[in-house]
Amino acid sequence: TIHSAYPGARRRLEVAMADIEIDVNRTALLMADFHTAGMTENPMVQERRTLDRAREVLHIARWAGVFVAYIVVNFRSGYPEISDMNQTFSARKADGVPPAASPGALIHAAVPPLQTEPIITKHRVNAFFGTDLDMMLRAQGRDTLILMGHATSGVILSTVRYAADADYGLIVVEDGCADRNPQVHDLLMEKVFPRQATVASAQDVVRALNS
């Protein structure tokens, strides 16, 4: 079982923990939407020490030879990719705030990418939709994904659902993810993700990569 990492939690997540075996030559780590703004503004990130756990997994994944890719949301000047029909991003277009000049500038300083690690720019919630992520992963021979990021109910949920349909093996790092709503996070980790992915702790993933 996974115990909820939220302070004051009254119950534990009843998630069956399978033994994890990771073939590093077929695995990619997706660092999904570790945006400075989102991670800094979300109190759950600090309370759950999400960045600390993510940094631990990132470090051992690099050491083990896992392919690492970063996912960020960004747009061209004027936001031509955003439809007025899109409820998630249309407000950003209306605000008129210029997009980041560089995708790398969006990533939190606690988990910066190496120069050799690609940054995938997306225009929607799902890391695969409208991007070359699938092509890149197939080219690298990676059919298993380790997922961490923010928010659990955003990029993690959308990407898990798509990647499962695309026949990827999936490992979701429970304490490497965070959501503004702890109840939603718990529900996804306990009831939704285990149908299509292995839900594991950062410690479990580090142990598997070390072995």
Side-chain angles (χ1 to χ4, degrees), residues 2 17 20 22 29-31 34 48 50 53-58 145-149 152 156 160 170-178 185 189 193 197-206 209:
I2 294 178
M17 296 297 292
I20 304 173
I22 298 175
L29 169 63
L30 299 188
M31 300 291 290
F34 276 91
R48 307 187 72 244
T50 303
R53 302 290 82 79
R55 190 163 46 228
E56 292 169 2
V57 174
L58 177 62
L145 307 179
I146 301 171
L147 283 166
M148 300 192 296
T152 311
I156 302 301
V160 163
L170 297 168
I171 299 169
V172 179
V173 185
E174 189 273 334
D175 47 354
C177 301
H185 173 93
M189 292 294 178
F193 292 158
T198 297
V199 177
S201 68
Q203 183 179 24
D204 290 331
V205 174
V206 168
L209 289 171

Side-chain angles (χ1 to χ4, degrees), residues 69-152:
Y70 283 73
I71 313 296
V72 299
V73 179
N74 202 25
F75 303 93
R76 294 176 177 87
S77 178
Y79 297 93
E81 303 90 351
I82 299 180
S83 165
D84 293 338
M85 299 290 290
N86 189 293
Q87 295 187 29
T88 302
F89 295 112
S90 58
R92 184 180 303 197
K93 181 178 181 178
D95 288 342
V97 177
S102 168
L106 296 167
I107 299 171
H108 198 287
V111 286
L114 301 179
Q115 288 188 345
T116 55
E117 294 168 347
I119 301 174
I120 308 296
T121 299
K122 63 189 176 91
H123 310 305
R124 294 296 185 268
V125 178
N126 178 353
F128 285 92
F129 184 80
T131 74
D132 58 0
L133 176 59
D134 183 72
M135 179 177 64
M136 187 177 298
L137 293 171
R138 304 293 183 189
Q140 297 297 320
R142 310 291 165 152
D143 58 12
T144 300
L145 307 179
I146 301 171
L147 283 166
M148 300 192 296
H150 175 272
T152 311

